[in-house]
Amino acid sequence: MGTPEVASAMKKTGRKRGLITMRDVAQATGFSPATVSIVLNNAPLARYIASTTRQRIEETAKRLGYRPNAMARFLRSKRSQSIGVILFDVTDPFCIPILRGIENALYPLAYLPIFADAHNQRDRFERYLEMLLERHVDGLIVVANWLFVDIDVLADLNKREIPAATIGWELPGKRVSSVMVDNEAGGRQALEHLYQSGHRKIAIIRGPKRLIDTAPRWRGIQKFAQSVKLEIDPALTLQLPDLFDATSSFEHGYRLTEEFLQTKKKFTALLAFDDLTALGAMRALAKAGISVPEQCSVTGFDDVAVSALAVPSLTTVRQPLEVMGSTAVGIVMDAIKAGQENRDWPVVSQKLHPELVIRDSTHNT
Amino acid sequence: MGTPEVASAMKKTGRKRGLITMRDVAQATGFSPATVSIVLNNAPLARYIASTTRQRIEETAKRLGYRPNAMARFLRSKRSQSIGVILFDVTDPFCIPILRGIENALYPLAYLPIFADAHNQRDRFERYLEMLLERHVDGLIVVANWLFVDIDVLADLNKREIPAATIGWELPGKRVSSVMVDNEAGGRQALEHLYQSGHRKIAIIRGPKRLIDTAPRWRGIQKFAQSVKLEIDPALTLQLPDLFDATSSFEHGYRLTEEFLQTKKKFTALLAFDDLTALGAMRALAKAGISVPEQCSVTGFDDVAVSALAVPSLTTVRQPLEVMGSTAVGIVMDAIKAGQENRDWPVVSQKLHPELVIRDSTHNT
DNA sequence: TTGTATGCGTTATCAA
DNA sequence: TTGATAACGCATACAA
C-alpha cells in the first residue's frame, strides 16, 4: 500500500531511494515543511497545531517511513549527540568494563559513542583526536594509562572547545577532568589483607615507573608496612618494565616471579601490581610446583573479568571500572550543558574507592 | 600572533568561539569559499589553482586553526564516513578481537565506528539500529550470536538502504552478508586432537540448542567419531542451556562438569563447547582434585584472550576473530562503493577456517 | 585561474 | 494555527 506512494514521493524530488525527507512528508500531507518539523519534533509550537493536522502528519510520516536525518539536524543545531571515546587499547581487559559503563550511561541520553582505539600509539591517538574534532563530537572521554601521550592538547581542548574527561590517568595541574581510583588506598588494602592473613615475607611486584598508578600504590603499601612495622625486603621487590601492550604484564609477572624463585628467598605471599601480573605470577608458581594459595598467596589489582575465572580465582583490589565510565559521562554531560548555556565548566577530579575482593588465591598462613 | 586574527575572524561572523569555517579562511585570504574548498580538499580543480594562492590558503587555514566540519560535509556528500557496529555484548570476550579487527580495518579508510552494545537485549538492539539509521551510517556490522533478535530487518536494510554484514551469525536464505567460522571443521578438529592423543572416553558439553554454532560443531564431532568408529557415550554428553550472558557458559561449564563427575562414569578428556565452558570445567575438575591435563584433558573453542592466560593454558579451536572483523569491513566497504556507483551489491557469505591451538590443557593418555 | 549560485535536510524566526 | 524564508558549513556546476 505504502510503497507506490513512497516511490512517487521520491520520484518527485529525484532523490536516491530510501531517503524520505521532511519535504516528502510535507508534500504528501499538503502542509509546509516547517509545520511538519514542529509536529514531528514535538516542538513548543506543537501546542498550537490542530490535532487533526498533527495526526495527518504523524501518520503520513510513519507510512512513508520517514526518518529524520541526523546529519542535517546536527549541522543546524551544532550538536552531534556523540561522544568521542578514545581507548588506549581495547585489547586490554581494563578497558572493557569502562567502555560498557560509558555506553550504558550514554544510552538513556540518546547519545552514541564514537569509538577510537589508540593501540597504545601516540600518533594514532592524535589522528583519532583530530578525526573526532572534525566530527564535532559534543564531548570526549579518553581512557589512558600510559604516559607517552602528551595529552596537553586535551587541556586546551577542554578549555576552548569541547568538554573532556580522562579515566585512569590525570594531567598534572588539574586542567582536565579526570576519574581515577584511589590507588594509595588500594595498595594499602592489598597489603593489609595479606598481613592480616598472617603473611610477613611478602614479595612485591611494583608497576612500571612511568605509569601514574605505580607511585601511589607503592606509597599505600609502604605506609601500611610502616604502620605495622612490617619489613619490606628489597630483595623481594621487583618492578615491571615500561613496555606496554595488553599482555606484557602477564609475561613480566611470570618472569619476575621466576626471578624471585631463583633468589631462593622465602616468601609466603606475592603482591602483584595488577591482575595480569598476578596471573603471570600464578603460572610461574604453578610451573615451580608451588600451589596457590596453600604455599603462596597471590593478590592482584583491578579485578579485570578474567580474575574471577582463573583457577584459583584471584583475590584482588577492585576498581569500579563501570562506575568510572559512567562517572566520566556525568562529568562530560554536565560540561556540555554548561557550554550550551554559555557558562564555563569546572574541572573535576573524581577519586573513587577501590574494594578488596577476597577469592581463592589468598589464604591464612 | 594568530590569536587576534582568529578573534576578529570570529567576530565578523559572530560565531561561537573555536569554530573557524571556510568562510573565515576565505575572508582572511581574500579568495572565495569555493576556491578555499577546492584547495583544502585537493579537489580535481586544484590543478588549476595558482600555487601562490594555494599556499596562501593552506597557510592561512593552518594559522587560523581551521578544521573542516564533518557534519556539513556529510550532509552535502550524503556519506557519513561511519560504520555502525552493534555488538550483542561487549562484555563477552568473543567480541573484543572482532571489534579490534573492525576498527583496525576502518582506520586507514578514515572511517570511524559508531559503537552500540545490545546487552543481549532485543529492544536495545532495535533502538540502536534506529539511532544508527538516523545517523545515516554508510554501513552496518552486527556481531550477533544469539537468536532472539529477529534480524530480518537487516535483510531489508541491506537490500534497500545500507550495506550490512553479520559476524558469527547468519540469516537463513542468504539475504545478508555474513562472516562465520567453519564450525563443523572446528568441531572435528577438537575431537580429532583428543582422539589422536589417545583419548577414547570423552565427555562432551554441547552448545545451547538455539545457538547457530551448536549444530554444525556437533555434526563435525559426530562425523569424525563415525569415521574412526569412536563411540560417543550419551551419558557423557550434556548440553548448555539457552540462557545467555557473558559468563553463563563458565558457570554452566562448571555445573555440567560436576554432573559428569557425579555419574562416576570414567572419562579422560572433556570437549567443551567454548573456552569459557572449558574454563568452568577446569575449575570443577580442580575442585574435585582432578589435575588437568594429567588426569583429564580439556579443549575449548574460540581462543578468547583469557585462554592463553589460564593455568594450565587452554588447548582450543581458534576462531580468527580479528580477521572476521576486518573481513566484514571489506564486505561492507565493497558494498558501499557499489552503492555509490549505483550498482547492486552481492550478498556474500564468508566461512573462515578455524585453527587448532595446542596448549597445556591437553595431554596424551 | 577564480568567483557565483545553489542545494544537501533541518530548524528557528518572523509573518500571515 | 500555519507558511515563507533564511541559515547551518560545505562542495559542485557553471560562469567569468
Side-chain angles (χ1 to χ4, degrees):
Chain A
M1 274 284 130
T3 326
E5 184 169 357
V6 170
S8 89
M10 289 187 303
K11 215 164 203 169
K12 274 179 205 152
T13 57
R15 230 168 296 101
K16 111 175 178 190
R17 64 180 181 177
L19 252 189
I20 307 292
T21 76
M22 271 186 30
R23 271 224 305 288
D24 297 321
V25 178
Q27 288 186 349
T29 55
F31 292 101
S32 76
T35 307
V36 173
S37 172
I38 290 168
V39 167
L40 294 181
N41 291 305
N42 224 334
L45 266 55
R47 289 169 23 77
Y48 304 109
I49 303 281
S51 72
T52 55
T53 307
R54 201 185 308 198
Q55 286 183 4
R56 270 270 296 293
I57 291 178
E58 274 165 354
E59 192 256 332
T60 309
K62 191 179 226 167
R63 189 161 40 80
L64 294 185
Y66 167 73
R67 233 192 305 265
N69 183 330
M71 303 294 181
R73 203 201 299 250
F74 296 164
L75 179 59
R76 254 282 340 183
S77 64
K78 295 189 175 306
R79 308 181 53 214
S80 66
Q81 299 270 80
S82 308
I83 297 288
V85 176
I86 310 186
L87 307 180
F88 63 89
D89 186 356
V90 234
T91 276
D92 192 311
F94 179 82
C95 291
I96 305 307
I98 294 178
L99 183 57
R100 163 61 70 100
I102 293 172
E103 176 268 342
N104 202 30
L106 251 24
Y107 182 67
L109 308 174
Y111 265 72
L112 242 25
I114 300 190
F115 176 87
D117 178 2
H119 291 212
N120 275 315
Q121 291 163 22
R122 185 203 169 97
D123 55 336
R124 202 160 175 131
F125 167 81
E126 286 168 356
R127 174 94 176 84
Y128 268 132
L129 182 57
E130 192 57 36
M131 289 173 76
L132 292 171
L133 292 178
E134 290 186 0
R135 279 164 194 249
H136 290 246
V137 289
D138 294 343
L140 208 50
I141 296 178
V142 179
V143 183
N145 80 341
W146 75 126
L147 311 217
F148 60 78
V149 167
D150 169 19
I151 313 197
D152 275 11
V153 278
L154 283 190
D156 297 348
L157 280 182
N158 188 53
K159 267 307 159 209
R160 25 172 65 245
E161 304 194 55
I162 66 173
T166 61
I167 299 181
W169 184 86
E170 62 188 340
L171 204 76
K174 307 243 179 216
R175 293 178 300 143
V176 177
S177 295
S178 63
V179 180
M180 299 270 295
V181 77
D182 184 338
N183 277 301
E184 183 169 333
R188 180 198 165 88
Q189 283 175 33
L191 185 57
E192 187 173 13
H193 169 63
L194 292 174
Y195 183 83
Q196 290 182 346
S197 303
H199 298 282
R200 294 300 179 267
K201 297 288 179 196
I202 300 174
I204 298 177
I205 299 180
R206 296 174 58 186
K209 250 204 208 77
R210 302 177 60 203
L211 204 61
I212 197 171
D213 308 298
T214 298
R217 276 186 211 170
W218 178 238
R219 207 180 314 127
I221 289 170
Q222 285 181 305
K223 282 194 185 170
F224 177 80
Q226 284 175 4
S227 74
V228 296
K229 306 221 181 331
L230 172 69
E231 191 198 350
I232 295 176
D233 185 348
L236 284 176
T237 301
L238 289 172
Q239 185 149 27
L240 293 170
D242 265 329
L243 300 169
F244 278 91
D245 69 86
T247 51
S248 79
S249 62
F250 177 83
E251 283 157 25
H252 288 110
Y254 182 87
R255 296 212 187 119
L256 295 181
T257 302
E258 285 193 318
E259 281 192 37
F260 283 139
L261 295 173
Q262 281 163 10
T263 66
K264 307 282 181 193
K265 281 247 178 188
K266 276 271 273 188
F267 57 95
T268 66
L270 188 154
L271 188 159
F273 174 68
D274 65 12
D275 288 353
L276 290 190
T277 308
L279 294 178
M282 279 169 50
R283 174 172 294 180
L285 293 169
K287 189 184 166 208
I290 298 173
S291 67
V292 176
E294 292 78 6
Q295 299 174 264
C296 181
S297 288
V298 175
T299 64
F301 203 109
D302 289 348
D303 195 21
V304 130
V306 305
S307 304
L309 309 183
V311 182
S313 58
L314 186 65
T315 292
T316 188
V317 177
R318 173 164 221 275
Q319 296 204 41
L321 299 172
E322 249 188 86
V323 174
M324 288 163 73
S326 57
T327 302
V329 168
I331 291 172
V332 167
M333 294 309 298
D334 285 347
I336 290 173
K337 206 199 292 176
Q340 280 162 359
E341 295 167 0
N342 246 314
R343 303 172 357 239
D344 271 352
W345 56 86
V347 171
V348 345
S349 303
Q350 286 264 14
K351 196 143 286 177
L352 303 185
H353 285 292
E355 177 197 359
L356 179 69
V357 179
I358 301 175
R359 297 209 184 90
D360 299 336
S361 69
T362 54
H363 192 260
N364 285 342
T365 192
Chain B
M1 273 289 126
T3 327
E5 185 170 357
V6 172
S8 90
M10 288 186 304
K11 214 163 204 170
K12 274 179 204 150
T13 55
R15 231 166 296 101
K16 111 176 178 190
R17 64 177 183 179
L19 252 189
I20 307 291
T21 74
M22 270 185 31
R23 272 221 307 288
D24 298 321
V25 178
Q27 288 185 348
T29 54
F31 293 100
S32 76
T35 308
V36 174
S37 172
I38 289 167
V39 168
L40 295 180
N41 291 306
N42 225 334
L45 266 56
R47 289 169 24 77
Y48 304 107
I49 303 282
S51 73
T52 56
T53 307
R54 201 186 305 198
Q55 286 182 5
R56 272 269 298 290
I57 290 178
E58 274 165 353
E59 192 256 334
T60 308
K62 192 180 225 169
R63 189 162 38 81
L64 294 185
Y66 167 73
R67 233 193 304 266
N69 184 329
M71 304 293 182
R73 200 200 297 249
F74 296 164
L75 179 58
R76 229 338 281 219
S77 64
K78 294 187 175 307
R79 308 179 52 214
S80 66
Q81 298 272 74
S82 308
I83 297 289
V85 176
I86 309 184
L87 307 180
F88 62 90
D89 185 357
V90 233
T91 276
D92 192 311
F94 178 82
C95 290
I96 304 308
I98 294 178
L99 184 56
R100 162 62 71 99
I102 293 172
E103 177 267 343
N104 202 30
L106 250 25
Y107 182 65
L109 308 174
Y111 265 72
L112 241 26
I114 299 189
F115 176 86
D117 178 2
H119 291 211
N120 275 315
Q121 291 163 23
R122 185 202 170 100
D123 55 336
R124 202 161 174 127
F125 167 82
E126 285 168 355
R127 174 94 176 83
Y128 269 131
L129 182 58
E130 192 56 35
M131 289 173 75
L132 292 171
L133 293 178
E134 290 186 0
R135 279 165 193 247
H136 291 249
V137 289
D138 293 344
L140 207 52
I141 297 179
V142 178
V143 182
N145 80 341
W146 76 125
L147 308 218
F148 60 79
V149 167
D150 170 18
I151 314 199
D152 275 13
V153 277
L154 282 190
D156 297 348
L157 280 181
N158 188 52
K159 267 307 157 212
R160 29 174 59 250
E161 304 194 54
I162 66 173
T166 61
I167 299 180
W169 184 85
E170 61 189 341
L171 206 76
K174 308 242 178 216
R175 292 177 303 140
V176 177
S177 294
S178 64
V179 181
M180 298 271 294
V181 76
D182 184 338
N183 277 302
E184 183 170 331
R188 178 198 165 88
Q189 283 174 33
L191 185 57
E192 187 173 13
H193 169 63
L194 292 174
Y195 183 83
Q196 290 181 345
S197 303
H199 298 281
R200 294 298 179 270
K201 296 290 179 195
I202 300 173
I204 298 176
I205 299 180
R206 297 174 56 186
K209 249 204 207 78
R210 302 177 59 204
L211 203 61
I212 198 171
D213 308 297
T214 298
R217 278 187 208 169
W218 179 238
R219 208 180 315 125
I221 289 169
Q222 286 181 305
K223 282 194 187 167
F224 176 80
Q226 284 174 5
S227 74
V228 296
K229 305 222 181 336
L230 172 70
E231 191 198 349
I232 295 176
D233 185 347
L236 284 176
T237 301
L238 289 172
Q239 185 149 28
L240 292 170
D242 266 329
L243 300 169
F244 277 91
D245 71 85
T247 51
S248 79
S249 62
F250 178 83
E251 283 156 26
H252 288 111
Y254 183 87
R255 296 211 188 119
L256 295 182
T257 302
E258 285 194 318
E259 281 192 38
F260 282 140
L261 295 172
Q262 279 163 11
T263 65
K264 307 281 180 194
K265 281 246 180 191
K266 275 273 272 191
F267 56 94
T268 66
L270 189 153
L271 188 160
F273 174 68
D274 64 13
D275 288 353
L276 290 190
T277 308
L279 293 178
M282 278 168 50
R283 174 172 293 179
L285 293 169
K287 188 185 168 206
I290 297 172
S291 66
V292 176
E294 293 78 6
Q295 298 173 266
C296 182
S297 288
V298 175
T299 65
F301 202 111
D302 287 349
D303 195 22
V304 130
V306 305
S307 304
L309 309 183
V311 182
S313 58
L314 186 64
T315 293
T316 189
V317 176
R318 173 162 219 276
Q319 296 204 40
L321 298 172
E322 250 189 84
V323 173
M324 287 163 74
S326 56
T327 302
V329 168
I331 292 171
V332 168
M333 294 307 300
D334 285 347
I336 289 174
K337 205 198 292 177
Q340 280 163 0
E341 296 166 358
N342 246 314
R343 303 172 357 239
D344 271 352
W345 56 84
V347 170
V348 347
S349 302
Q350 285 265 13
K351 195 143 287 178
L352 303 185
H353 285 294
E355 177 197 0
L356 180 69
V357 178
I358 300 175
R359 297 209 184 90
D360 299 336
S361 69
T362 54
H363 192 260
N364 286 342
T365 193

